[in-house]
Amino acid sequence: PELDMVMGPQYANRIGDLLEDVVNGNQVVATEAAPMMEDSTRPRRESEITAWVNVIYGCNERCTYCVVPTTRGAEQSRPKESIRREMQDLGRKGYREVTLLGQNIDAWGRDMEPKQRFSELLEEAATVEEVERVRFVTSHPRYMSLSVVETVARHRKL
């Protein structure tokens, strides 16, 4: 009774309909898994230098203290080409630094067919000439790999 609505980001493009249900007196829980290849919201850009780019949504871990898998759903990686295009566009708009973002970023690509590795995404990101620096958050210790460490060591931009 304390909450009128719980919504995962995969429902951002339906927020109007969900709020209408709330206004009509319904409690709304919109957290079911839904395919989400692209972010349907407009990113907020509070800096003129640094931009955040979502590369993976959701999380498959079930940490006892965390609500992310329930509200954001299962891991869904964005295609590498889409991430590259967004980075290039940001670079052309004057952003010099991009931070790749994911609840469990090291898991990027595990859900794809064929599977891909986060180090492959980092290799691709390092070749985006329009951006000077690439950072990433949030890593899960279970998935940090030697290939990620070696990729970061190889590219000054990372």
Side-chain angles (χ1 to χ4, degrees):
E2 290 81 18
L3 292 175
D4 294 319
M5 181 169 76
V6 176
M7 180 189 87
Q10 65 270 33
Y11 290 92
N13 61 336
R14 295 191 46 221
I15 193 166
D17 296 332
L18 298 175
L19 288 172
E20 187 175 322
D21 285 347
V22 170
V23 168
N24 290 331
N26 298 311
Q27 275 191 316
V28 176
V29 177
T31 58
E32 299 82 26
M36 192 167 105
M37 292 309 291
E38 293 299 325
D39 197 339
S40 58
T41 61
R42 286 187 60 128
R44 275 187 16 211
R45 306 282 186 217
E46 296 177 356
S47 167
E48 295 178 4
I49 298 168
T50 302
W52 297 75
V53 173
N54 285 315
V55 301
I56 184 171
Y57 304 101
C59 183
N60 289 355
E61 302 302 316
R62 290 282 174 188
C63 304
T64 56
Y65 55 84
C66 186
V67 70
V68 169
T70 303
T71 58
R72 296 190 176 190
E75 292 167 351
Q76 295 181 56
S77 301
R78 283 182 61 196
K80 192 182 331 179
E81 302 76 23
S82 174
I83 296 164
R84 179 182 184 81
R85 281 192 305 273
E86 184 173 354
M87 290 177 66
Q88 289 171 321
D89 183 54
L90 289 166
R92 285 190 289 270
K93 290 178 178 174
Y95 291 94
R96 296 190 315 238
E97 179 180 281
V98 167
T99 301
L100 304 178
L101 179 63
Q103 183 68 31
N104 182 7
I105 199 163
D106 308 86
W108 179 89
R110 288 191 316 185
D111 60 318
M112 298 176 141
E113 284 297 326
K115 289 185 187 292
Q116 297 182 42
R117 297 183 337 187
F118 180 55
S119 59
E120 296 169 11
L121 176 61
L122 289 176
E123 287 283 354
E124 183 77 19
T127 68
V128 177
E129 294 177 6
E130 294 85 350
V131 174
E132 296 174 24
R133 183 174 174 97
V134 179
R135 298 174 185 252
F136 60 91
V137 295
T138 303
S139 296
H140 191 291
R142 181 185 302 173
Y143 302 109
M144 179 54 70
S145 67
L146 185 56
S147 64
V148 169
V149 173
E150 290 171 345
T151 301
V152 170
R154 243 188 335 272
H155 297 282
R156 186 176 172 94
K157 184 183 289 195
L158 299 176

